Amino acid sequence: QVQLVESGGGLVQAGGSLRLSCAASGSTFGLNTMGWYRQTSGKQRELVATISIGDITNYDNSVKGRFTISRDNAKNTVYLRMNSLKPEDTAVYYCNARIFRVDNWGRGTQVTVSS
């Protein structure tokens, strides 16, 4: 079983920055793509960004140019640097790790951007 622990969320003013971290532990053999998703009340969880084991990245159009995803394979950790934050970025951000085609999720971290 794999555990994903997110950190780095919080309250920030519009235009500010935050960095999220997610560390995977436990049964991480076969860890492949990692990523970040977000969800607001009453809406489905949506993709923010993903990064493959070979550092190929994918971003939702709404965050391109503002967010940067990266990973440290030695630490089984994925990061999300968020710049130029907007109120519409407010959400619970969830870490995702795919292991042998099985999706694993963290508990989420709240990001709130005030206007």
Side-chain angles (χ1 to χ4, degrees), residues 10-59:
L11 173 64
V12 64
Q13 288 189 333
S17 299
L18 285 173
R19 190 179 84 150
L20 305 183
S21 300
C22 172
S25 62
S27 301
T28 59
F29 179 75
L31 178 61
N32 196 329
T33 299
M34 299 184 77
W36 292 94
Y37 292 71
R38 64 188 180 188
Q39 188 172 21
T40 55
S41 180
K43 293 188 177 181
Q44 287 191 334
R45 195 170 298 185
E46 62 179 17
L47 168 74
V48 176
T50 61
I51 183 167
S52 73
I53 194 73
D55 287 340
I56 297 173
T57 59
N58 179 48
Y59 295 93

Side-chain angles (χ1 to χ4, degrees), residues 8 19 25-26 38 42 45 65 68-69 78-79 82 84 87 90 94 102 106-107:
R19 190 179 84 150
S25 62
R38 64 188 180 188
R45 195 170 298 185
T68 303
I69 190 169
V78 62
Y79 306 96
M82 305 185 291
S84 303
T90 295
Y94 294 91
V102 175
R107 292 188 174 184

Side-chain angles (χ1 to χ4, degrees), residues 58-104:
N58 179 48
Y59 295 93
D60 182 75
N61 285 335
S62 65
V63 306
K64 280 183 181 177
R66 300 188 298 123
F67 291 10
T68 303
I69 190 169
S70 61
R71 68 189 288 169
D72 183 333
N73 292 328
K75 296 180 179 180
N76 290 328
T77 299
V78 62
Y79 306 96
L80 185 69
R81 178 67 180 181
M82 305 185 291
N83 295 330
S84 303
L85 282 161
K86 304 175 181 180
E88 50 263 44
D89 295 318
T90 295
V92 178
Y93 283 70
Y94 294 91
C95 176
N96 173 275
R98 180 161 291 187
I99 299 175
F100 294 123
R101 302 184 181 179
V102 175
D103 283 320
N104 299 272

